[in-house]
Each structure stands twice: as structure tokens, then as C-alpha cells.
Amino acid sequence: TVAPDTAVKETNNNNIKTLSDSYNYNNNNAHSATDELFEYLWTRYPNKKGKGQVSEKSKKQLLEIGRDEMERAVERYKAELKKDSWRQPQNGSTFFNSGYIDYLDANYMPGERPKAKNDFLNHEQSTTDYAELERLLE
């Protein structure tokens, strides 16, 4: 017998499946595919720190984006790291929770990053003549 508050999805040869059974089956399959993709991408990423900190929501988003695009995002990120010898890869948790977004097909801008105008916060060099200001204040 099926509880009165449980809807019956299908009956075949005395085999009863409820909607909740079907949901659990589909949910487990989605969870399995999500974990499988995440594990694969994790092996491709250079800094394997923080694996347990990647949220389930983020893992589901990776599945929605798809394996091919996420592979390209990881490869693009690794290529960007090689351009600057001083750069170190983000922890895997940082990349897979949100760091990959700039490297997706729709967001990625190939080529070099803009060079800094000077070594201090990318601001224009000041042309203020402080000696002249001192003279005016006397």
C-alpha cells in the first residue's frame, strides 16, 4: 500500500513507484553527475586546496555550464598564470566557487591584460610641482 499523501507515478506488474522515489532516483543521478564532473575538473586544476569548501550549489552550476566549457575555462586560467611568473593559482575552492566566471566563453577576453601605467595602483603620474606650492604658501 501507498500512503494516501504520496502520489503514484506508475504501476507495472505490481511494482509501485511513488513520485518521491522517482525524485530521489533523479536527484541521486544528478548528484552523481555533479560529483563526477567536479572530480574530473579538480584533477585538471593546478592548486588542489579547499576541495571540501566547494559548495554543492557551485558544483551544480559547473554541471549546468558543462564539461567542455569548464575545461576551456581551466585551461585559459592556467595559460593566464603562465604569462606572469609571479602569479600563483588560486586555491581550487576559490576558483570553483566563483573564480572561473571570467574564463567562461561569454566572459573571456583573449590576449594580454592591460599593462599598468606605472607601478603604483595604475594611476596617472602626478604632475604637481610641490616646490612651487611651497613657494606660494610662504
Side-chain angles (χ1 to χ4, degrees):
T1 49
V2 177
D5 59 338
T6 304
V8 175
K9 182 178 180 186
E10 64 181 66
T11 303
N12 186 6
N13 296 333
N14 296 328
N15 185 12
I16 298 173
K17 289 187 177 181
T18 64
L19 287 177
S20 62
D21 290 339
S22 179
Y23 172 78
N24 288 335
Y25 175 77
N26 290 335
N27 196 29
N28 288 339
N29 280 345
H31 187 66
S32 175
T34 300
D35 286 341
E36 184 178 315
L37 175 61
F38 174 70
E39 292 297 330
Y40 172 76
L41 293 171
W42 189 262
T43 64
R44 315 271 307 154
Y45 192 74
N47 187 355
K48 295 170 180 40
K49 291 185 181 172
K51 186 176 184 180
Q53 295 172 341
V54 178
S55 70
E56 288 301 317
K57 180 180 177 184
S58 293
K59 290 178 185 178
K60 287 177 185 176
Q61 288 174 331
L62 300 177
L63 185 62
E64 289 173 13
I65 293 165
R67 178 179 171 157
D68 292 341
E69 187 169 358
M70 282 306 304
E71 272 189 286
R72 286 191 298 274
V74 170
E75 293 306 316
R76 288 172 180 153
Y77 179 68
K78 290 180 355 184
E80 290 286 324
L81 289 173
K82 290 179 183 176
K83 290 181 182 179
D84 297 313
S85 61
W86 57 269
R87 285 182 71 193
Q88 297 296 315
Q90 301 171 348
N91 286 352
S93 57
T94 304
F95 184 83
F96 288 112
N97 277 321
S98 65
Y100 64 86
I101 293 171
D102 290 338
Y103 300 95
L104 295 176
D105 295 345
N107 303 331
Y108 184 65
M109 302 296 275
E112 289 189 35
R113 291 176 295 142
K115 298 288 184 193
K117 294 177 184 170
N118 61 37
D119 291 334
F120 185 72
L121 298 177
N122 204 21
H123 292 288
E124 293 289 336
Q125 188 73 29
S126 174
T127 57
T128 304
D129 183 351
Y130 290 101
E132 179 64 20
L133 285 174
E134 287 289 330
R135 190 185 64 73
L136 292 173
L137 292 174
E138 291 177 350

